[in-house]
Amino acid sequence: MNPKRIAAVATKEAKEVLRDPITVGVALIMPLVMLLLFGYAITLDVDDIPMGVLDQDRTPASRQLSEAFTASETFRLERELSDPQAMERALQRGEIRLALIIPPGFERALARHEPSPVQLLVDGTFSATATLVGGHALAIASGFGHAAPSSALHLETRVWYNPSLSSVHTVVPGLYAVILMAFPPLLTALALVREKETGTIAQIYASPLSSVEFLAGKLMPYAIIAFVQMAMVIGVGFLWFGVPFRGSVAFLLAISLLYVLCTLGIGLLVSAVTRTQLVALLAVLIVTLMPSLLFSGMLFPIFTMPYVVQLYTLAFPGRYFVDISRGVVLKGVGLEVLWPSIAIVAVYTLLVFALAAWRLKKKVA
């Protein structure tokens, strides 16, 4: 490899990028916009859930139970229901998401230390939310019984790494992988395909440049842009969303550079096998953005997916970087724990660059 040739290609590409400041601005601003939108829009927290109460006992104890629900930030009393038909209509119309039914004789059963059955009806239209709502409701109802028999077992539950169970602390580190998989491949793919459409790629084929020199020079400006994107989203995640950072910032940035090279390599590979910018755009969206959203574990835990789909997720580097970013940010772990994921990303990077170089050599030949 000739460093002067690589520098010449990198300088030419940098000038092409700087001629279009709008593209540079969009490349730097859109990741922040995406982070803010997803950070606020994607939430698995449940609060201010509208609920209805069908109190058939009408006693101080029954009122105390309903107040135990509304005293929390999770539930909000939307309606006091008069009969089961009104409760069913409220659930059907979506006016309430939870119905609390207190049967007659509730207070009397409590006073006699007898079982006091209470029914909770949860709107299961949104299954993930319904599970959380049901869990919160069950915890409140279970902790209410004044006459519950004592037990020799004292169970204390603590949550590590995300004690507040905030979905923002889970989603934002996962977004690092998605954002870096969305924009850098798109920029690199469109840059090379644009040269194909204008015909300037023929001059490169006729030049003494090797495929490795051409790819290295083509990559440098976009690698810098992508690294700046990563630094910005990490800073915004820490300062704006308040995501705790328990690991090493330098370590995450170093691994991010490897991941950036991987995403840029995917963009170069896509550009090497496509001829028009429209096809390149669609290919990048299908190959990078959609899998990183659906199969990286950012939104849906991989261990809950069918086994065949779990095997399918192994083909996408975003899955491994989600584990890396969450491990560093939330758990504070380093190379001793994350080395398998880092090694897979490194192998993936070498593979996509080798395929892109081979494809380019084939075209030159």
Side-chain angles (χ1 to χ4, degrees):
M1 288 197 310
N2 189 326
K4 292 184 178 180
R5 293 175 182 173
I6 296 176
V9 176
T11 303
K12 170 186 172 296
E13 192 62 29
K15 290 179 179 179
E16 290 287 340
V17 172
L18 294 176
R19 279 180 192 159
D20 189 5
I22 296 179
T23 301
V24 178
V26 170
L28 296 178
I29 293 175
M30 284 305 296
L32 297 181
V33 173
M34 187 175 178
L35 179 65
L36 293 173
L37 288 177
F38 277 77
Y40 282 114
I42 300 176
T43 176
L44 303 178
D45 299 334
V46 289
D47 51 18
D48 200 34
I49 300 297
M51 67 171 294
V53 176
L54 177 57
D55 188 354
Q56 297 174 321
D57 194 43
R58 302 288 179 178
T59 59
S62 65
R63 286 192 294 273
Q64 189 175 359
L65 175 59
S66 63
E67 289 172 357
F69 279 82
T70 57
S72 68
E73 296 181 355
T74 305
F75 299 102
R76 164 175 53 87
L77 181 60
E78 182 69 23
R79 289 189 58 183
E80 291 187 357
L81 306 168
S82 57
D83 52 63
Q85 290 75 22
M87 175 203 66
E88 184 176 359
R89 287 194 299 269
L91 284 171
Q92 288 176 341
R93 295 172 181 173
E95 297 174 356
I96 60 174
R97 297 292 180 184
L98 173 74
L100 170 65
I101 304 175
I102 306 175
F106 172 75
E107 185 178 58
R108 184 170 59 253
L110 282 179
R112 295 177 179 178
H113 303 295
E114 296 176 353
S116 308
V118 174
Q119 189 173 18
L120 293 169
L121 298 179
V122 182
D123 183 352
T125 306
F126 303 98
S127 57
T129 304
T131 302
L132 296 174
V133 170
H136 282 288
L138 185 60
I140 294 174
S142 300
F144 177 77
H146 298 290
S150 61
S151 172
L153 176 64
H154 175 68
L155 181 63
E156 182 177 350
T157 303
R158 293 184 179 180
V159 179
W160 284 17
Y161 311 127
N162 188 7
S164 62
L165 294 177
S166 171
S167 61
V168 171
H169 294 175
T170 301
V171 170
V172 170
L175 278 174
Y176 299 160
V178 176
I179 290 173
L180 286 181
M181 188 58 76
F183 295 101
L186 183 61
L187 293 175
T188 53
L190 294 180
L192 185 55
V193 174
R194 184 170 58 246
E195 292 198 11
K196 290 182 180 181
E197 289 184 337
T198 58
T200 55
I201 192 72
Q203 300 174 6
I204 296 173
Y205 290 156
S207 69
L209 276 173
S210 68
S211 58
V212 175
E213 292 170 345
F214 173 66
L215 293 179
K218 199 78 174 174
L219 176 71
M220 285 186 181
Y222 300 104
I224 295 173
I225 293 176
F227 193 71
V228 172
Q229 289 177 346
M230 184 62 192
M232 288 193 307
V233 295
I234 290 177
V236 171
F238 178 71
L239 298 174
W240 183 269
F241 288 101
V243 176
F245 206 109
R246 298 187 174 91
S248 169
V249 177
F251 177 74
L252 182 59
L253 289 176
I255 304 304
S256 299
L257 181 58
L258 174 63
Y259 185 66
V260 163
L261 293 175
C262 180
T263 61
L264 293 176
I266 294 174
L268 288 174
L269 180 59
V270 169
S271 66
V273 297
T274 55
R275 295 184 178 181
T276 65
Q277 294 189 61
L278 178 59
V279 175
L281 173 62
L282 295 176
V284 168
L285 292 178
I286 293 173
V287 173
T288 62
L289 186 57
M290 291 176 59
S292 63
L293 279 172
L294 299 177
F295 303 119
S296 66
M298 192 274 287
L299 287 178
F300 313 108
I302 293 177
F303 62 84
T304 64
M305 299 178 182
Y307 181 69
V308 176
V309 179
Q310 292 185 36
L311 295 178
Y312 182 65
T313 63
L314 298 175
F316 303 105
R319 164 188 174 151
Y320 307 104
F321 193 74
V322 167
D323 292 339
I324 293 170
S325 61
R326 285 178 176 165
V328 174
V329 173
L330 297 179
K331 296 182 178 181
V333 296
L335 184 63
E336 71 283 355
V337 174
L338 300 173
W339 70 265
S341 296
I342 297 172
I344 293 174
V345 174
V347 171
Y348 203 103
T349 303
L350 294 175
L351 180 61
V352 292
F353 272 101
L355 288 174
W358 170 79
R359 180 69 180 179
L360 191 59
K361 283 183 179 179
K362 185 178 179 182
K363 280 184 172 291
V364 172

